[in-house]
Amino acid sequence: MTSPVPLWVWGIGLALGFPLLTILLGEWIHRLKRQRRPVASTVRLVRDVLVPMVVLLLFLQHLLQVDPGSRLFKTVETVFWVCVIHAALSLLNVILFEQAEADTWRSRVPKLLIDLARLFLILLGTAFVLATVWNADLAGLVTALGVSSIVIGLALQDTLGSVMSGIALLFERPFTVGDWLEVGGVVGQVIDINWRAV
């Protein structure tokens, strides 16, 4: 399939647009770092990973005219979508948690819960990429994951109960780092609170 835009226009556009966009994003990152804004890391990720993947996809599709059904194009498209998912999760993390004010629910969310939510979204994004790019049928995989999660949940019932209790403790924060506690006649100072131990 040929593009209605001539090849030389795509070539000049990519040759001039990519460096120009990289420079503009670099200046924006520099300004965000001076303002101590956490979104600078997400913009750096877009500049260093996402923009080159878009340029590579456009180069393959419009200049080399690689068939979109070929294994090479699908592989590059898969890497592109993985980069999009990574950048989106990074932006979501910055918006929800890194800019959270003290004593809000967002500042009290345990890192384990954030990591588990991130893992779930990555798996969901991977399923989306497999279904759209590679036309994979995921019905059997979803069924197997459902059955195996029930089996694992029943086998780890006590352990998962303890983990959930630890997460609830992190949310409630009845004490903070530096407090002195007395439990069963033993007195100690809290030096760390995480999802499995105080």
Side-chain angles (χ1 to χ4, degrees):
M1 183 171 124
T2 59
S3 173
V5 179
L7 291 178
W8 64 271
V9 173
W10 280 108
I12 292 174
L14 290 176
L16 295 177
F18 176 58
L20 183 64
L21 186 59
T22 303
I23 291 169
L24 290 174
L25 286 173
E27 290 298 319
W28 190 24
I29 291 166
H30 182 66
R31 178 174 292 162
L32 289 171
K33 279 184 178 178
R34 278 194 321 220
Q35 297 171 353
R36 299 186 198 285
R37 304 280 302 267
V39 77
S41 61
T42 302
V43 178
R44 185 182 321 109
L45 180 67
V46 168
R47 181 196 66 188
D48 295 344
V49 178
L50 199 56
V51 170
M53 287 308 302
V54 170
V55 170
L56 180 60
L57 267 177
L58 292 174
F59 181 77
L60 288 174
Q61 185 176 12
H62 296 290
L63 289 177
L64 296 183
Q65 296 182 347
V66 174
D67 178 31
S70 70
R71 186 176 299 269
L72 171 67
F73 191 84
K74 285 185 175 185
T75 303
V76 172
E77 191 176 4
T78 301
V79 173
F80 165 73
W81 282 111
V82 167
C83 294
V84 167
I85 292 168
H86 182 51
L89 289 176
S90 174
L91 180 63
L92 190 65
N93 185 43
V94 167
I95 290 171
L96 286 180
F97 302 112
E98 287 189 24
Q99 294 181 341
E101 296 177 8
D103 296 333
T104 61
W105 69 270
R106 296 184 305 168
S107 66
R108 285 183 274 149
V109 174
K111 184 163 177 14
L112 174 69
L113 202 56
I114 295 171
D115 291 342
L116 288 175
R118 186 178 184 95
L119 176 66
F120 173 75
L121 291 173
I122 288 171
L123 291 175
L124 193 65
T126 302
F128 168 77
V129 169
L130 289 174
T132 56
V133 175
W134 295 94
N135 299 323
D137 182 23
L138 302 177
L141 179 64
V142 170
T143 304
L145 285 175
V147 171
S148 63
S149 64
I150 290 172
V151 170
I152 291 172
L154 290 173
L156 298 175
Q157 204 168 10
D158 294 334
T159 305
L160 291 175
S162 299
V163 168
M164 294 312 289
S165 297
I167 290 173
L169 184 66
L170 282 172
F171 265 122
E172 292 174 12
R173 298 251 185 199
F175 43 82
T176 59
V177 174
D179 289 352
W180 287 88
L181 301 177
E182 181 178 355
V183 179
V186 178
V187 178
Q189 186 178 17
V190 178
I191 57 171
D192 187 25
I193 303 173
N194 58 40
W195 59 274
R196 58 189 166 82
V198 174

